[in-house]
Amino acid sequence: MASPKTRYLVFFQYFGSKYSGVMETSTDQSVIGVQNYMEKAAQNLKPVVPIKFHISSRTDTGVHALCNSAHLDIQRATGKPPFHERELVCSLNYHLKSEPIRYLNVPAMQDAAWFLLGTHDFSTFRSLNSETPFRSPVRTILQVDIRPSSGFLSHHYEYRGLEFWELEFKSRSFLYRQVRRMVGALVAVGQGKLTPRHIKELLEIKDSRAFPPHAMAPPSGLFLKSVEYNEADLEKTMTAGE
């Protein structure tokens, strides 16, 4: 005879980028729900009955959570006492190990970034839109910096040992989705999917369709940091308007 069920309320957080939302999905999908991941880990606690997480708040695909909650019932084998709350937390966290992360090769990214500096035809690094035929693809990248960053959410994940990196570009102007394509290409270099020489080759091709599929960075990590003005240009504008 099994021990009686014990009900727990748990609080959890997650990066939603790789999940189809928090709720359970069919296991044959390429992107599953956070609930699938947690319930699979919870079976390592060897319950008599499979553990079901009853999620309090639904989140959509790609959405993160700093604090979501769920209740679950755990029934252990005969003679085994209910998990103490600290024991349960430690056990779940142990089995909810971070998914394998391919650490970025930052030196390779920095080598690749050199090819983006200066004046080039960035046709491969822009997405097509209605303005494409009327705008020159030539742009000048004045600065590309790749450096460690504290990250806006890093203090919520200190125990995970995550590293945050910041890529900063400076130019007089950018093409449509140019920055997202440059970031995605550099990250692909860091992951070993491209080499620094591939960046040079992409520039030389000058064809938007040649950009690697799925390599464009998502908009959620993009920030407009600042807009700067040259004093001499401002003086010219004032004079022209007088």
Side-chain angles (χ1 to χ4, degrees):
M1 183 175 178
S3 300
K5 292 182 180 180
T6 304
R7 177 162 291 185
Y8 299 89
L9 174 65
V10 296
F11 297 89
F12 57 99
Q13 57 186 197
Y14 48 88
F15 281 122
S17 304
K18 296 184 179 179
Y19 298 99
S20 66
V22 70
M23 304 304 291
E24 181 181 20
T25 61
S26 172
T27 55
D28 60 358
Q29 291 186 200
S30 58
V31 182
I32 62 172
V34 175
Q35 183 178 355
N36 299 66
Y37 184 61
M38 294 194 298
E39 289 180 355
K40 180 180 178 181
Q43 303 320 310
N44 290 290
L45 303 177
K46 303 189 183 306
V48 174
V49 179
I51 295 173
K52 186 77 173 175
F53 281 73
H54 300 273
I55 311 293
S56 67
S57 299
R58 182 186 297 267
T59 55
D60 294 332
T61 299
V63 176
H64 318 302
L66 297 180
C67 185
N68 204 338
S69 64
H71 78 263
L72 57 147
D73 296 323
I74 301 179
Q75 187 173 17
R76 305 194 73 190
T78 303
K80 290 192 174 183
F83 285 108
H84 183 273
E85 58 184 39
R86 183 175 294 277
E87 182 184 12
L88 176 62
V89 169
C90 290
S91 297
L92 284 176
N93 281 336
Y94 176 79
H95 294 296
L96 284 168
K97 291 180 178 178
S98 300
E99 297 179 61
I101 297 175
R102 182 182 292 176
Y103 290 104
L104 295 178
N105 182 344
V106 178
M109 294 172 66
Q110 292 169 330
D111 289 342
W114 277 104
F115 292 114
L116 298 174
L117 284 169
T119 302
H120 307 282
D121 182 324
F122 281 96
S123 292
T124 308
F125 287 87
R126 69 173 173 182
S127 293
L128 303 179
N129 64 6
S130 59
E131 296 183 3
T132 300
F134 310 104
R135 302 192 67 181
S136 169
V138 177
R139 291 292 185 273
T140 300
I141 301 298
L142 303 171
Q143 176 182 334
V144 182
D145 286 331
I146 304 172
R147 53 175 175 262
S149 170
S150 59
F152 286 129
L153 300 178
S154 59
H155 61 287
H156 290 285
Y157 298 91
E158 291 175 347
Y159 72 96
R160 295 279 299 276
L162 297 178
E163 293 182 357
F164 291 83
W165 289 83
E166 179 181 283
L167 284 73
E168 182 176 348
F169 299 85
K170 184 176 182 180
S171 175
R172 186 176 180 87
S173 62
F174 295 101
L175 298 167
Y176 181 51
R177 292 181 176 172
Q178 179 185 352
V179 173
R180 289 174 59 188
R181 285 196 171 204
M182 291 191 297
V183 170
L186 292 180
V187 170
V189 170
Q191 294 174 329
K193 298 176 181 178
L194 297 176
T195 68
R197 294 292 301 181
H198 279 134
I199 303 302
K200 183 176 184 294
E201 292 171 2
L202 288 172
L203 282 169
E204 293 172 344
I205 292 173
K206 302 177 184 178
D207 185 348
S208 177
R209 296 166 297 182
F211 191 77
H214 312 300
M216 184 163 62
S220 55
L222 185 66
F223 293 82
L224 173 62
K225 182 177 180 180
S226 64
V227 178
E228 301 174 0
Y229 291 90
N230 185 307
E231 289 188 11
D233 289 339
L234 289 175
E235 291 175 359
K236 291 177 183 178
T237 302
M238 291 175 62
T239 301
E242 290 177 350

